[in-house]
Amino acid sequence: MPNFLLKRWYGYRTVWAFLLLLTLTAFVTAYNWPIGLLALCLVFVVIFVMLRAEMKFRRELAEYTTTLSYRVNSIEGEITSRLPFGLLLYDAERTIEWHNRQVAQLFQTDSVVGLPLVELLPGLPPLTRDKKDGSKEPLSLVRAEIEVGTETYDVRVYPEERLIYLQKMTEMAELRERYEKESLALGILLFDNLDEAFQGMDDQQRTLTIARATSLINGWARQYDVYLRRLSSERYMMLLNQAALEKLENSRFVILDEVREATSDLKVPMTLSIGVACGNEKIGELGALAQSSLDMALGRGGDQAAVKVGQRLSFYGGRSNAVEKRTRVRARVIAHALRDLMKRSDRVLIMGHQNPDMDVIGAAIGMLKAADRLEVEASIVLDGDNPSISKMMERIRADLTLADRFVGPEEALAQMTERTLLVVVDTHKQSLTIEPKLVQKAKQVVVIDHHRRSEEFINEAVIVYLEPYASSASELVTELLQYIHDNMTLTPLEATTLLAGITMDTKHFTLHTGSRTFEAAGFLRRSGADTILVQRMLKEDLSEYISKADIIKNARVVMGGVAIAVTDEGRQFPQLLIAQAADTLLNMTDVNASFVIGSRPDGLTAISARSFGKINVQVVMERLGGGGHLTNAAVQLDISPREAEKKLMAVLEDIEKEEGLFE
């Protein structure tokens, strides 16, 4: 019997009342013993009656609780059987020992006793976890949704008690799936190169070309249940649900290829860029995400679709090179904004990516010249030399005006103030910069880059000049210099470093070059750039050439034009040498793309990828965690070269199955 019933407060008060009566009776007896004796008898009678009442209460309470326990025990089995959810027990071998009636009804059978748990509930997650000593211990709770046949069940497992709660939720799962499929998606479709495609056309030709492309787009929208609304001559708004979006993703946005192929007779085929966002966000937020996705697609060179669903960002297309912009209006606008920003700053710090190359140094020196011309103190952040820039740095350190303009990351952090401007060149990823803390600390950041935009981006930048059509960051900086100041004059060494950056990234003006690349080179040549000195900076050592040959000798050609070379186990090569081997391998007959895999001195495995444009090596490297350009990309992995080769082959096979490797 519960103590709170046995030790009631009113019972204690009664005892104290009896003691008080006895005390008063004793006083009365002292003064008049006959009356006191009578009073004492009455007190004992009252005590006796109260005790009998208490004993009767306890006896009746005990009888009541005994009857209640009997009633509960008698219907316990029936209650368990009639629970609205399944209940089952299993033994140490995970064989079902007992279950209630609901389990039999859920699985439409008389009994599942004796069946292995894994047979009844396939796909059940692990019920134990590994301990540090290698043993296993049961989890306190495991919850999962499991599909058995056409039904979906909500399963809660208590491994310590070997108890499972099971509830059918097929209708709920269907409603949830329907809700997800009908959730709204917003998209923006853009003709990303109308000006370039219509160059030299008359009005009638433009109208016919637009009509041809519009007809294709409207037919595609009807086929995939997309509502299309034309906002301007080059922009459309898309309304669709997630089910339609899944169809578009499965088709890999075939409209991109259809429009490009339909206008292939033009000097510059028309291309589309598409940004789509889907999720549970508000309509305004979806619109902003759709625009952000479109900006991402354009930042990667256009001719592709970027789809944002929750935290997932996927890209489709991107099989053609970015179209070179014929106008320099954007360069002029960026240059004027950058000039004003520099004038308002107390100092300019210029930084590139880790293991900087000639393009980083050339672009950094160009920005240094701009700051000097505007009479703003500036420095270049550099964390030591590497083989790719050693010859260039020897020339720079021999120049008294440039030798002292380089600072280490620690010194740069100490120099940074609230008004310091940080210019990041040749990368837009904070994690790849020489000192990511500088990006975090800087209040004003400018990004100048020519790589295709990736998911990681310095979003806090006040100015972003990202042009994937450009050959190099040095080309972009060279154009900016011509607008930052009316009387911009470069020294021969400054012009040479910029030209060396362009020369290196274009492989001596053979890859990824446009008319503006040669215009920038012409300006640098007029400024006194020494082409012979550029060649000296790019010269190879004989030992490096022999090492490169050792890498190439292991090459094999697979999948109809993909050359893959893996370095020997135990040997390490600089990143520059691995990249040069990929460049050399690409020049072999019948090779459309080259991948060189090798161990670096820092222990990481590097993959350098090159192509002539038939294969988008940027997409391949992105699937491995890297990035780059359509024709030039790379990644670093913390695994062995052979394991990296297996991963690379798996990615190539997946792309071949999804859309085909070659354009």
Side-chain angles (χ1 to χ4, degrees), residues 610-621:
R610 301 290 187 270
S611 80
F612 282 123
K614 289 188 175 182
I615 297 178
N616 188 341
V617 292
Q618 178 199 12
V619 173
V620 179
M621 293 296 98

Side-chain angles (χ1 to χ4, degrees), residues 10 38 45 58 83 106 121 139 247 261 339 363 382 447 465 480 494 526 538 622 629 642:
Y10 71 86
L38 179 61
V45 170
R58 296 195 180 198
L83 286 173
L106 288 174
L121 301 172
L139 297 169
K247 293 180 183 178
E261 291 169 3
R339 178 185 62 193
L382 188 66
V447 176
Y465 191 32
L480 292 176
E494 291 166 344
R526 291 192 300 274
L538 294 172
E622 280 183 338
H629 275 292
R642 290 299 171 187

Side-chain angles (χ1 to χ4, degrees), residues 394-436:
E394 288 177 7
R395 296 285 181 173
I396 291 173
R397 291 195 175 98
D399 187 289
L400 298 178
T401 60
L402 293 176
D404 299 330
R405 307 300 296 276
F406 292 84
V407 298
E410 296 297 329
E411 186 178 351
L413 283 168
Q415 292 178 355
M416 181 166 284
T417 66
E418 292 286 329
R419 294 177 54 225
T420 298
L421 174 64
L422 177 65
V423 180
V424 178
V425 296
D426 204 31
T427 185
H428 57 264
K429 296 182 179 181
Q430 178 176 330
S431 61
L432 293 184
T433 57
I434 291 176
E435 180 51 82

Side-chain angles (χ1 to χ4, degrees), residues 122-142:
L124 193 67
L127 306 181
T128 59
R129 61 184 171 195
D130 296 328
K131 297 174 68 176
K132 292 182 179 179
D133 58 4
S135 62
K136 295 182 179 294
E137 64 175 352
L139 297 169
S140 58
L141 173 63
V142 176

Side-chain angles (χ1 to χ4, degrees), residues 350-371:
I350 306 154
M351 177 173 63
H353 55 71
Q354 299 167 10
N355 298 312
D357 52 21
M358 288 187 180
D359 189 27
V360 169
I361 302 301
I365 287 179
M367 284 291 97
L368 185 71
K369 180 66 175 182

